[in-house]
Each structure stands twice: as structure tokens, then as C-alpha cells.
Amino acid sequence: MKDQEEEVHVSESPEDTRELGRELAKRLKPGDVVALEGGLGAGKTLFVQGLAAGLGTDPGIPVTSPSYTLVHEYPGPVPLFHLDFYRLTRKESVLELGVEEYFDGGGVSAVEWAEKFAELFGPETIWVKIERNAEERRRITISTIA
Amino acid sequence: MKVLGIETSCDETAVAVKEESRILASVVASQDEVHAPFGGVVPELAGRRHLELILPTLRAALDRAGISPDQADAIAVTSGPGLVVCLLVGLSLARALAYAFRLPLVGVNHLEGHLMAILAEKEIPFPFVGLVVSGGHTSLYIVEGWGRYRLLGQTLDDAAGEAFDKVAKLLGLPYPGGREIDALARTGDPAAVAFPRSLLKDGFKFSFSGLKTAVLRRVEQLRDLDSARADIAASFQEAVVEVLVAKALRAAREFRLPRLVVSGGVAANSRLRENMLAAGQNAGLAVHFPSLGLCTDNAAMIAHAGLERLQRGLADPADLMPRAVWPLSGVRSSHFT
Ligand SMILES: Nc1ncnc2c1ncn2[C@@H]1O[C@H](COP(=O)(O)OP(=O)(O)OP(=O)(O)O)[C@@H](O)[C@H]1O
Ligand SMILES: [Mg+2]
């Protein structure tokens, strides 16, 4: 049986949060899925900006919030698929998005508001939970399977 | 020439009929009775919903224009950017109509549709500064002509329209919240809370996520949201509007352009219209907003952009494919570029 491993970090600034994303990216390979949870303004998009930088996507293309457009694709040595379930209320819509194709695809998927449809994520998913403690402080828990 | 325009790239299912100088019909399903049979659902992006709505919407547009489908001279359709499942609904209909009635088919970029929407109802000479502000985009361009767009800057995180809707949610207002904030702000004090104006002095880039978080903190600190709601709405709206006005005017000044066009869903915001027009008047700059129906997602802007492309000989092959990613810099202006 595989063990769940939890790392707890404290981020003191937006830059710290980005840096944690960059660090995590070094351990990712195509097909990995990063599920982000944490309320509005927790720093999920910021963390994904770090992931993108760590994966080596084009720094000239800003990593913006996909809440409206639902999916952003960033080409690179390892492509990044940035999804956001914020506006979705029905599981059919999520499936229609083609999440399964993204998850099985040749890149890393990062999903904001993943906890809304937690049942779609397999056991290998890397969960990143961001909690707002103070104005600039965030507690970031990264759970992986050892 | 009558162009039938079809738009399914985002939340709205829309069909329009456009002649050179006139919009004959512009139907948007969610704002229209064709939506009624499906109940007052909150718009949610879904290919299946587009599929349910597309034929009733087409029928309504043709009825209103008073033509039958074989009387159209060309078909224009949004072919990107967007989700393939959604784009394919419009594209399939467009391809079928073009094939059945032997009509030319032209694919239009959704962002180009917004940026140039005003030209569907009004002539504006080039060049001009173009600001597109919607739920998914906040971008500033120099528009030198059809297909000649220079991106000056865009948002680095949240789009302005997204900030409106997320803040509306924080304030407990119904979705979509942009309109609700606009209305509520009229009874509030725009100077009540000094919310941040991110990157105000910093070129043509935008950032609205810090503002979202500042509103969140403010709401959390409140004892009584009900008595503060209007002031927060007004102060938030003021912060967004101030940044948009400052950057659009700076672009006009820096590049010595005498005209500015604001488009996209947020261009329907009354405070933005008011302040941008006033600032333009002070600066000797002609400021233009499309009428409301051309600001939010619609197919008249797609029909018009299609018409312009066809007049330049830019028809597309019958098997036109969707393009999920399609920046405006990739839009052709002629056969040679
Ligand atoms: N330590 C920190 N880590 C991350 N963000 C921080 C931190 N301190 C302050 N912030 C601010 O919090 C905001 C985080 O916004 P962001 O858009 O990334 O959140 P989000 O979780 O993606 O929100 P949403 O639910 O709207 O998608 C930014 O404005 C950022 O500057
Ligand atoms: Mg986000």
C-alpha cells in the first residue's frame, strides 16, 4: 500500500507562493495532475504561475486566471494545461470540457477549485491546499503519494 | 451582401444577419425567448446547451431578418479562440449551411469580433486605440486596420469582468454580478474605501487579483455587510474604472492617436462609459462605445468581421476547423501576410 505524504509550507508573500510552484514543477512529469483547493484569492493562480515558470513555458505569455475561459494551454518542453472549475456547477460540463483527455495528455494539468468535483481525481493526484492565515501569509499543504 | 453570423465560442449561443450598412437581426439566446423552453438556467459553458439552442436561435434570427437561409450570401462563424466542444457547434452548423446552399464560409476570431464590433454600426477611421474588457479578457491594442492589431498590454491575472463577478459574489449579489454592481454602486460612495489601483503607473499591463483580495479582506472585517455593500461596490468599481481610463488615455497620448474604442462586456458598465467619455473630452480624444447589444457576446460583430474578410477575398475552406488558441497577432489581414 502506498503512503500519503504531506508537506506543509508557510508562504509569507506572493513571491514565496510562486517559488513553491516553481519547486513543485521540478518534480512533475507529463500526465501529472495538480489539484488546487483554497477559497477566493487564496493564491491558486499565483501558484500555477510558479508551476508554469518551473515547467519552462514561454515567459512572454502571462499565466492568467482561466475562471471564465475554463482552460488555458501553455506549450513548452512539458506543456501546461490550466483548468478552473470556479464557474462549473454540473459534472457533465466538467466532463464535456475533456478533463480526462487533459489528464491523460502529454502535459501537466493544474486545476483550480478542484475540490468542487473531487471525485474526478485519481489517487495519484497531487493536492495543493492553500489557506489564508493573514494578509500575506498562506499555509500551503502539498499531498502526494510517496 | 447578406452575411449570416454564428457565435458559440463562450457562454452565449448567438446568430445574426448583417448587410453592409445594417444589422438585420441579432439574436442572443439567453436574452431571448428562444431560451425559455430550457428554463432560467444560470449560463454555464457547455457544448450540449449550445446544441439545444442553436437551431431555435437560427430560426429566430432568420425570421427577424425576414429571409430564408438560401437568401444569405455568405456564412461567418467564430472559429476560435475557445473550447473546441463549443466552437464545433457553431462550426458544424456553418459548414452544413455553406455546403447546402453553396455559400462562401469564413472563420472569425472572437477577439477580433469584439475589438471591431463598433464598426458594425458606425464608421470609425483608423488608427485607433482599442480596449477590450470582458469576463475573460482585458487587453489594450493599437488598431491600424482590419487584421492589423498591435497588442500593447493585457492582464497578468484576472480580467476586469471576472473581478466584477467575483466581487459581486463576495458581496452576496446574484450571478452574473457585473450589472448588479453597476446598479448598486449608484447608491454608494466611490471614495468610501481606498482600494488598490494595481500597476496604475506601470505601462499597459493590468492586474485585478490584488483588488479582488482587498475586497475580500474588507468584507471579512465588516460587522454588517448590508450597510456597507453599496459603498464597497462603488469603491471597487471606481478602482477598476480609474485604471482602465488611465491606461487607455495614456496609450492614446503616447502613440498620438485621436480616437479610442472600448468594447467587450464591461464596456456596458455605466461608470466606465461616463468617466471614459469625460476624460476623453478633457484630453481632446474621441471616445466611442458600441451600443449595449454589440458590447456583450453577439453574432452581429462576427457577421460584420466576416463580411470585411470576404470583401478582402479571405474566405476559408469548407472544412474550416476550430482553433482553441488563436491570439489576435495570428489573424491574417490579406492573402500575403
Ligand atoms: N503569500 C501569498 N501567497 C499568494 N498570494 C498572496 C500572498 N499574499 C498575498 N497574496 C495575494 O493574494 C492574491 C491571490 O490571488 P489569486 O488570483 O492567485 O488567487 P486564486 O486562489 O487563484 O483566486 P480565485 O479563487 O479567484 O481563482 C493576489 O492578489 C496576491 O498578491
Ligand atoms: Mg485563480
Side-chain angles (χ1 to χ4, degrees), chain B residues 33-98:
Chain B
E33 67 273 17
V34 295
H35 197 55
F38 304 97
V41 285
V42 173
E44 171 161 323
L45 209 149
R48 191 161 305 139
R49 211 174 57 90
H50 282 305
L51 204 53
E52 286 166 349
L53 291 170
I54 190 76
L55 289 177
T57 310
L58 170 68
R59 211 163 296 132
L62 290 171
D63 280 354
R64 225 162 284 177
I67 64 166
S68 54
D70 58 303
Q71 287 173 303
D73 299 296
I75 310 290
V77 59
T78 308
S79 53
L83 292 173
V84 170
V85 280
C86 295
L87 292 168
L88 273 176
V89 175
L91 270 166
S92 307
L93 174 65
R95 289 193 297 226
L97 289 170

Side-chain angles (χ1 to χ4, degrees), chain A residues 44-45 65-67 84 112, chain B residues 158 166 212:
Chain A
K44 300 177 291 294
T45 301
S65 167
S67 293
D84 193 332
E112 297 192 36
Chain B
D158 294 1
K166 287 184 171 172
K212 164 185 72 187

Side-chain angles (χ1 to χ4, degrees), chain B residues 324-335:
Chain B
V325 182
W326 188 9
L328 267 187
S329 55
V331 171
R332 291 185 308 161
S333 58
S334 77
H335 280 299

Side-chain angles (χ1 to χ4, degrees), chain A residues 52 55-59 61 63 72-81 106-107, chain B residues 325:
Chain A
L55 292 173
T57 66
D58 182 348
I61 300 175
V63 173
H72 291 161
E73 300 180 25
Y74 299 93
V78 177
L80 172 66
F81 310 128
Chain B
V325 182

Side-chain angles (χ1 to χ4, degrees), chain A residues 65 67-68 87 89 93 132, chain B residues 11 44 162 165-166 220:
Chain A
S65 167
S67 293
Y68 270 73
R87 290 204 308 146
T89 55
S93 315
R132 274 184 328 118
Chain B
D11 297 7
E44 171 161 323
E162 171 180 359
D165 283 336
K166 287 184 171 172
E220 283 173 345

